[in-house]
């Protein structure tokens, strides 16, 4: 790795050290890319992703500069194990397909064994997600990656009967009405404490789930600059994420187990 976008959001210690000693260059972000630096680095390939017309513009610019671009679409997957299978794409570039197959078989077995265990638990807690932003509460659709994770971990997602795999923009009042009986709240934005949550909208203090303080966020492994390892190593460790969620949904499981990616918001 010789260059990376949004270097200030990285959690990986090796990348951070590379940015510090300048063996890795921060090339900016999709709205302000340093094309001169990218040409200077002479990369064999650039990995990117595409959302909307803006991404098509910078991808076209990179092609015009003679740089090879590969679009990575793991974020479009609606299944945790399907995301992990993108390891096959990267392994093929290094002739490491056999190693990737072994890793994926082990991950799949671990994940499915935990999923089977979660199915044996009778009570499914009702789960809500997210946090409002500018008056709109965006929640994952019922066929999304997170909805699948919640189901696999033995929870019942509040919007489980929705058929979309995309985010749903909902009014605060709609979420408030449907979430009053929720048992667990996960992924409340970037919140680190209860004050962070209620500062977004004071009405949240009227939520029953807020009063119960049964809230967990996926930012336990976040460094001081905001780099969250959930979005890095977590993508290739769905077996750890599902175990975390199972421990949250069913506290009696895995005695002595400490959460890896999640923390309770207090």
């Amino acid at each position: 790795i010789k260059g990376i976008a949004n270097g200030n959001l990285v959690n990986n210690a090796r990348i951070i050290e590379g940015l510090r000693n300048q063996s890795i260059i921060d090339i900016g972000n999709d709205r302000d890319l340093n094309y001169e630096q990218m040409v200077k680095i002479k990369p064999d390939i650039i990995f990117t992703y595409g959302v909307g017309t803006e991404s098509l513009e910078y991808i076209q610019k990179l092609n015009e500069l003679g740089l090879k671009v590969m679009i990575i679409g793991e974020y479009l997957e609606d299944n945790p194990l399907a995301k992990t299978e993108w390891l096959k794409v990267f392994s093929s570039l290094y002739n490491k397909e056999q190693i990737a197959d072994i890793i994926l078989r082990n991950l799949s077995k671990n994940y499915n064994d935990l999923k089977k265990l979660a199915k044996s638990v009778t009570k499914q807690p009702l789960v809500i997600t997210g946090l409002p932003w500018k008056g709109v509460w965006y929640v994952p659709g019922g066929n999304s990656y997170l909805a699948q994770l919640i189901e696999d971990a033995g929870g019942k997602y509040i919007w489980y009967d929705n058929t979309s795999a995309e985010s749903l923009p909902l009014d605060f009042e709609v979420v408030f009405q449907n979430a009053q009986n929720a048992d667990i709240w996960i992924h409340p934005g970037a919140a680190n404490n209860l004050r962070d949550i209620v500062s977004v909208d004071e009405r949240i203090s009227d939520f029953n789930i807020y009063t119960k303080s049964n809230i967990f966020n996926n930012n336990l492994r976040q460094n001081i600059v905001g780099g969250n390892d959930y979005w890095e190593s977590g993508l290739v460790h769905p077996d750890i994420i599902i175990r975390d969620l199972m421990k949250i949904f069913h506290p009696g499981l895995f005695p002595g187990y400490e959460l890896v990616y999640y923390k309770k918001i207090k």
Side-chain angles (χ1 to χ4, degrees):
I1 297 177
K2 300 300 293 182
I4 191 166
N6 297 306
N8 60 312
L9 297 179
V10 174
N11 183 277
N12 185 284
R14 292 172 63 184
I15 302 298
I16 292 174
E17 177 57 28
L19 289 166
R20 186 177 292 117
N21 62 33
Q22 296 189 327
S23 61
I24 297 176
I25 304 300
D26 189 334
I27 59 169
N29 57 60
D30 54 359
R31 295 183 180 180
D32 188 25
L33 288 172
N34 191 329
Y35 294 103
E36 183 179 349
Q37 281 285 7
M38 282 190 278
V39 172
K40 186 177 180 180
I41 293 171
K42 298 180 180 179
D44 295 316
I45 193 166
I46 296 174
F47 299 115
T48 186
Y49 68 97
V51 180
T53 56
E54 289 185 3
S55 60
L56 294 178
E57 292 176 4
Y58 71 72
I59 289 172
Q60 181 178 353
K61 176 68 173 179
L62 292 171
N63 286 327
E64 291 173 355
L65 292 170
L67 300 172
K68 295 180 180 179
V69 180
M70 177 179 286
I71 299 176
I72 303 300
E74 51 75 27
Y75 68 97
L76 295 172
E77 304 288 356
D78 57 11
N79 183 284
L81 289 177
K83 282 180 177 287
T84 309
E85 286 181 352
W86 279 79
L87 283 172
K88 292 183 178 180
V89 175
F90 292 97
S91 69
S92 67
L93 299 173
Y94 296 95
N95 296 318
K96 301 289 186 181
E97 293 93 338
Q98 290 183 340
I99 295 175
D101 286 341
I102 293 172
I103 292 172
L104 289 170
R105 279 199 302 270
N106 290 334
L107 283 173
S108 180
K109 182 181 185 307
N110 292 342
Y111 187 94
N112 287 320
D113 284 349
L114 289 165
K115 178 180 175 181
K116 184 178 179 181
L117 175 61
K119 295 286 186 186
S120 68
V121 180
T122 54
K123 187 181 185 304
Q124 292 182 316
L126 187 63
V127 182
I128 66 168
T129 68
L131 201 63
W133 185 71
K134 294 185 177 180
V136 180
W137 199 309
Y138 293 91
V139 302
N143 281 333
S144 64
Y145 159 80
L146 185 55
Q148 185 66 59
L149 259 177
I150 292 170
E151 179 182 346
D152 290 349
K156 184 177 181 180
Y157 182 40
I158 191 172
W159 312 110
Y160 74 95
D161 56 350
N162 177 270
T163 58
S164 175
E166 300 178 354
S167 293
L168 311 173
L170 301 176
D171 292 334
F172 183 96
E173 291 76 13
V174 172
V175 177
F176 184 86
Q177 182 179 0
N178 286 273
Q180 281 303 328
N181 295 321
D183 301 298
I184 305 285
W185 184 354
I186 63 173
H187 297 198
N192 284 298
N193 53 59
L194 294 174
R195 293 188 304 276
D196 290 342
I197 293 176
V198 78
S199 68
V200 174
D201 194 311
E202 292 183 357
R203 293 175 294 175
I204 293 176
S205 62
D206 295 325
F207 271 46
N208 290 334
I209 188 64
Y210 179 83
T211 304
K212 290 187 288 188
S213 299
N214 212 9
I215 308 171
F216 295 82
N217 211 352
N218 60 344
N219 56 359
L220 176 61
R221 297 165 67 99
Q222 180 171 294
N223 59 27
I224 58 174
V225 296
N228 189 346
D229 197 35
Y230 179 92
W231 303 112
E232 294 183 19
S233 71
L235 291 181
V236 289
H237 285 294
D239 52 336
I240 298 178
I241 291 177
I242 190 177
R243 185 183 285 267
D244 271 12
L245 289 175
M246 288 172 67
K247 181 66 177 179
I248 292 169
F249 297 165
H250 312 289
L253 292 176
F254 317 124
Y257 175 76
E258 295 186 1
L259 299 176
V260 176
Y261 293 106
Y262 286 83
K263 68 181 181 184
K264 187 167 186 177
I265 300 299
K266 302 177 182 179

